[in-house]
Amino acid sequence: MFDYLVVGAGLFGAVFAHEAHKRGKSVLVVDRRAHVAGNVYTENVNGINVHKYGAHIFHTSNKEVWGYIQQFAEFNRYTNSPVARYKDELYNLPFNMNTFSQMWGVKTPAEAQAKLNEQKADAVASLNGREPANLEEQALSLVGRDVYEKLIKGYTEKQWGRKCTELPAFIIKRLPVRLVYDNNYFNDKYQGIPVGGYTQIVEKMLDGVEVRLGVDFFKERETLVASAQKVVFTGMIDEYYGYKFGELEYRSLRFETEDLSQENYQGNAVVNYTEACVPYTRIIEHKHFEFGCQGGSATDHTVVTREYPATWKHGDEPYYPMNDERNNALYAKYKVLADAETKVIFGGRLGMYKYFDMHHVIAEALACVGKEFG
Ligand code: FAD
Ligand code: UDP
């Protein structure tokens, strides 16, 4: 009999398992994949750490979380600065003085502000003081027509498979808009990539904990639940409840990875393709996360991944929860059941049905540990 069964060896499950083990609890972790680390899994391909489930950049303003994760790896000074490609034009992201200067030829913040005001005037007027009701209204009132048409609309509609007018405004609020020449994609205080990849972090967290891979909870549900006093579940909450209120929607992705015999393919870790007619959203060149063309870990080959958004159906990986009103309301029904459980705790991106970044997941897991162990 284990004290805890943890379903899912992603960050949430691993942090919880680590903390429970540290407190002398016996823990069994199961995951249906053949490896630990969930979506932050990285694999070393001839000297390059490949982010197998999409680019993962660690960023946070939470000092406790930043201190916590550094117990398990050293982080480099990587700052995410994606480049956006629209037809033959290249723009710096997030939306900052470099972008505005490339878009309109403006040189000073005052010139950029004047241009932004002109670009967003119609959208602001039609809002007439109310909050933007969807992503299109949000984007147009934030950065105006040109930036929306070239850098947001095509990318967002292929990423989410829906019109911007049918998407929640909050998605685009993640992106900073700045009147300084600063291409840092995030506003957070701390940022970096773990030297040597993410998998080692989760392996260290799970050191001393029993882990069974290739185990689907739903195929051995009764035996597994009976084997522990309590269950921490980080899979899909709707699947846990047999979809009794209906299915939550997710967005999936397909990754196409190539190992190229050239040293440097695109000169940046992340290049976004913002045109609607290009079927992928971005190309990741993994070596640049760890400065693979600039010194120590240089290699003469490079690994690139194209990320294709995909409609989610049963059996696909549910990468992104679709946190719109309909799905949030459905999740709220499942949450009522979850809150009434005495033996099961739900956590993580799928268990809590929330568009969490890694630092959010760690903070949630630590809060859960706090509740459980005081
Ligand atoms: P997961 O990592 O999904 O782990 C859940 C685990 O549970 C999985 O391993 C799964 O196999 C297992 N599981 C599910 N159901 C079952 C079952 N029935 N039986 C057994 N096992 C099961 N965050 C950032 O901070 N920065 C980024 O740059 C960033 N980029 C991202 C890019 C992409 C493409 C994606 C998809 C996410 C990104 N994230 C990023 C978010 C980050 O991946 C998540 O916040 C984090 O990995 C979530 O951890 P988790 O433990 O909740 O879930
Ligand atoms: N986005 C965009 N153009 C870009 C990059 C992002 O319009 O070049 C929008 C898009 O709607 C996306 C959102 O901003 O879903 C958040 O982007 P982020 O890079 O944070 O997404 P994630 O890393 O979670 O996929």
Side-chain angles (χ1 to χ4, degrees):
M1 192 75 174
F2 292 93
D3 292 317
Y4 291 94
L5 165 72
V6 175
V7 180
L11 267 184
F12 191 99
V15 168
F16 186 91
H18 179 77
E19 293 301 321
H21 176 70
K22 213 164 82 182
R23 288 164 176 77
K25 305 293 177 192
S26 58
V27 186
L28 169 64
V29 176
V30 298
D31 200 296
R32 61 180 165 203
R33 294 186 188 172
H35 59 75
V36 296
N39 286 343
V40 308
Y41 178 66
T42 48
E43 184 179 77
N44 192 289
V45 176
N46 299 327
I48 297 171
N49 290 308
V50 173
H51 296 211
K52 295 295 274 192
Y53 300 95
H56 277 77
I57 299 105
F58 199 95
H59 57 97
T60 185
S61 290
N62 183 328
K63 203 169 180 178
E64 189 196 348
V65 167
W66 184 236
Y68 186 82
I69 196 73
Q70 308 222 26
Q71 298 173 70
F72 305 100
E74 183 193 336
F75 279 69
N76 68 20
R77 60 152 185 88
Y78 179 82
T79 300
N80 198 30
S81 312
V83 169
R85 185 164 172 163
Y86 175 79
K87 300 189 174 166
D88 277 337
E89 300 165 19
L90 287 179
Y91 295 96
N92 288 111
L93 291 175
F95 311 124
N96 74 88
M97 281 305 297
N98 288 306
T99 330
F100 304 139
S101 158
Q102 289 148 353
M103 182 88 47
W104 302 311
V106 292
K107 290 181 181 63
T108 65
E111 286 169 17
Q113 188 62 65
K115 193 73 192 171
L116 279 168
N117 290 345
E118 173 195 315
Q119 286 271 318
K120 59 191 194 181
D122 288 351
V124 171
S126 67
L127 282 180
N128 198 16
R130 70 173 166 81
E131 286 293 305
N134 57 54
L135 197 149
E136 179 170 285
E137 286 188 357
Q138 177 71 56
L140 286 173
S141 58
L142 203 64
V143 285
R145 182 66 59 187
D146 289 353
V147 175
Y148 173 66
E149 296 288 350
K150 289 189 171 181
L151 301 182
I152 297 176
K153 189 172 190 292
Y155 185 99
T156 299
E157 293 188 346
K158 62 186 172 181
Q159 165 78 359
W160 296 100
R162 286 202 200 156
K163 298 247 168 282
C164 287
T165 48
E166 291 158 17
L167 284 164
F170 84 90
I171 293 177
I172 200 73
K173 282 195 200 154
R174 287 164 61 96
L175 301 191
V177 179
R178 310 190 179 108
L179 291 181
V180 285
Y181 288 92
D182 177 1
N183 296 328
N184 183 351
Y185 199 60
F186 303 112
N187 277 329
D188 283 323
K189 264 193 195 158
Y190 313 108
Q191 185 172 174
I193 298 279
V195 178
Y198 286 92
T199 306
Q200 54 165 348
I201 292 181
V202 174
E203 283 170 352
K204 280 186 202 154
M205 286 176 176
L206 294 175
D207 192 23
V209 172
E210 182 166 345
V211 179
R212 295 185 201 156
L213 297 173
V215 174
D216 188 334
F217 171 76
F218 296 109
K219 296 204 171 121
E220 302 173 32
R221 185 171 186 153
E222 276 180 27
T223 329
L224 284 171
V225 171
S227 73
Q229 303 283 357
K230 278 190 114 172
V231 179
V232 174
F233 185 81
T234 73
M236 292 152 63
I237 188 166
D238 54 341
E239 188 176 15
Y240 183 90
Y241 286 114
Y243 307 104
K244 67 194 290 179
F245 300 131
E247 285 186 8
L248 289 165
E249 278 179 278
Y250 303 87
R251 190 78 180 137
S252 198
L253 295 170
R254 184 170 60 81
F255 299 105
E256 230 172 64
T257 297
E258 273 183 288
D259 195 340
L260 304 173
S261 54
Q262 69 189 84
E263 199 203 329
N264 189 359
Y265 176 73
Q266 63 184 15
N268 205 33
V270 183
V271 177
N272 290 358
Y273 285 76
T274 57
E275 264 180 282
C277 63
V278 177
Y280 42 86
T281 46
R282 47 193 173 190
I283 302 184
I284 307 305
E285 188 169 11
H286 302 267
K287 70 193 306 180
H288 298 306
F289 287 124
E290 297 184 56
F291 311 107
C293 284
Q294 297 160 255
S297 57
T299 55
D300 57 3
H301 72 121
T302 192
V303 179
V304 298
T305 301
R306 286 179 174 72
E307 198 172 306
Y308 295 81
T311 307
W312 178 86
K313 54 180 181 357
H314 279 291
D316 296 343
E317 284 295 342
Y319 288 107
Y320 294 100
M322 299 281 289
N323 283 120
D324 58 6
E325 256 175 58
R326 192 192 79 79
N327 285 291
N328 286 344
L330 184 54
Y331 166 67
K333 288 170 117 183
Y334 285 114
K335 187 162 185 310
V336 171
L337 299 184
D339 287 344
E341 299 279 359
T342 50
K343 183 167 174 170
V344 190
I345 300 166
F346 291 83
R349 233 188 195 202
L350 304 175
M352 300 167 87
Y353 195 68
K354 239 196 181 129
Y355 194 110
F356 281 143
D357 278 329
M358 293 180 275
H359 61 284
H360 298 125
V361 166
I362 293 172
E364 289 290 335
L366 291 175
C368 175
V369 166
K371 259 200 220 156
E372 196 60 13
F373 304 110

